[in-house]
Amino acid sequence: MTNLFEKHELPLADMGPLNPKPKMIGLDKASGPDIHLAQIGPHRLYCGDAYHIRPTLGWMDCDCMDPPYLFDNSGGGQWRNKRKASHQMIAEGLTNGFDHTIINPNRCGQAVVFFHADQRHDLEGYLKQQFHRNILMHWQKDNPAPHHNRSLIFDVEEFFICWTEDGAKDYFFAWHRGHHPAGQEHHDFHRYVTAPVEPSKIHDHPTVKPEKVMDKIMRNIAGETVCDPFMGTGSTGVAAIKAGKIFSGIEHNPKHFETAVRRIREAAMTSHNACERGI
């Protein structure tokens, strides 16, 4: 695996919220077969293994992620074959879960984490140990997938926001002190957002997050740097750029990575043109 920093430039990834933030230098040094870097203005996108790359990127104001779910992706009855996303999630390993330690309170002020209901217990326990505060947020779906497996339909997708006593944060939304959720107006502070599920055919990805959901999350993120270790097709990055933030994203699937590069390049160009017009 190629180091993204020279030895003398390596940031203190596990620095803790009371230590000074490392300078974000050397990020353009990625090379070799294991990592591909696309730089779009101040935004940096990496194609590679998030568990290796994220620790090298140092401090971010927020780690915002939609990691692989862990659940029984059977069921759906007569509607299943009409839902390509159900089969695609299995084929791409998006039902195998993830290593919680990638959510590191010493690397971020806030963490926003989407998850499946079957993951809630373990994930909530982990976040409570790592962060000072966490809030359960809700995305209410207008058009949920038909799966219910002798239970009820999963028509609400949850995420956590967290934060720590020292000042870092957890959609579960978690944070440290000093990294509390932001917002410009009263409605920004709702604990829910309502939006329809995006069809997988739009970007050929089974779990694309709607623009409305991601825009709401970005309004709640304090600070200017956002990292998504499971970038997918770049929805977090697009919303971050619209909100005036600097984005770093990591995606291991080359096909989705190329889609993310295209979308984020378009978002950056739109943002640049808007700034030139004084919008």
Side-chain angles (χ1 to χ4, degrees):
M1 190 72 177
T2 303
N3 285 329
L4 304 185
F5 293 80
E6 300 295 342
K7 288 184 178 180
H8 68 281
E9 295 177 337
L10 282 170
L12 299 175
D14 297 330
M15 60 184 181
L18 298 182
N19 293 332
K21 298 179 183 180
K23 294 181 179 179
M24 302 295 287
I25 56 178
L27 290 174
D28 59 347
K29 296 183 180 296
S31 61
D34 296 326
I35 301 173
H36 178 67
L37 168 65
Q39 182 160 349
I40 303 169
H43 316 293
R44 294 179 172 91
L45 312 182
Y46 302 87
C47 187
D49 184 345
Y51 298 101
H52 287 94
I53 297 173
R54 177 62 188 96
T56 72
L57 302 185
W59 178 270
M60 296 286 173
D61 291 317
C62 181
D63 274 6
C64 178
M65 67 188 76
D66 183 22
Y69 302 149
L70 181 64
F71 72 108
D72 177 4
N73 191 19
S74 61
Q78 61 182 313
W79 295 282
R80 184 176 179 87
N81 287 332
K82 297 180 181 179
R83 297 270 184 157
K84 175 185 175 184
S86 299
H87 302 291
Q88 189 176 1
M89 288 183 71
I90 295 175
E92 296 187 7
L94 298 179
T95 60
N96 297 333
F98 72 104
D99 184 345
H100 292 171
T101 60
I102 199 166
I103 310 168
N104 189 324
N106 294 319
R107 297 180 193 142
C108 61
Q110 295 174 321
V112 177
V113 188
F114 284 89
F115 62 96
H116 186 272
D118 292 352
Q119 295 170 289
R120 175 175 174 174
H121 181 269
D122 290 343
L123 182 57
E124 184 172 17
Y126 176 79
L127 293 175
K128 283 184 175 180
Q129 292 178 8
Q130 302 299 320
F131 292 90
H132 170 57
R133 294 286 305 277
N134 70 80
I135 291 177
L136 180 64
M137 308 289 284
H138 298 278
W139 163 25
Q140 179 69 46
K141 300 179 180 180
D142 294 336
N143 57 339
H147 305 282
H148 51 85
N149 298 330
R150 299 189 179 91
S151 180
L152 299 175
I153 291 176
F154 295 114
D155 52 2
V156 174
E157 183 153 331
E158 299 167 313
F159 51 99
F160 279 104
I161 303 180
C162 321
W163 65 101
T164 69
E165 184 70 27
D166 298 306
K169 326 167 200 175
D170 263 21
Y171 236 115
F172 272 124
F173 200 126
W175 64 94
H176 302 298
R177 288 194 186 279
H179 298 268
H180 307 288
Q184 297 297 317
E185 57 177 271
H186 169 77
H187 293 292
D188 291 342
F189 293 95
H190 282 301
R191 298 191 183 205
Y192 68 90
V193 58
T194 301
V197 175
E198 293 280 8
S200 61
K201 63 183 179 182
I202 291 181
H203 300 297
D204 195 22
H205 190 286
T207 61
V208 175
K209 293 297 176 286
E211 180 178 325
K212 184 178 178 182
V213 172
M214 299 314 301
D215 286 348
K216 187 266 192 290
I217 291 173
M218 289 302 135
R219 291 195 298 273
N220 290 148
I221 289 175
E224 66 174 11
T225 54
V226 177
C227 180
D228 186 345
F230 303 97
M231 177 174 60
T233 60
S235 297
T236 301
V238 170
I241 291 169
K242 287 169 58 181
K245 302 183 186 299
I246 298 172
F247 179 70
S248 297
I250 307 167
E251 173 56 40
H252 77 281
N253 185 311
K255 179 185 71 173
H256 298 323
F257 176 77
E258 292 302 324
T259 301
V261 169
R262 173 182 56 77
R263 294 182 67 199
I264 290 170
R265 183 177 288 122
E266 291 171 355
M269 181 62 68
T270 299
S271 176
H272 174 75
N273 292 339
C275 288
E276 286 194 335
R277 296 195 304 270
I279 298 177

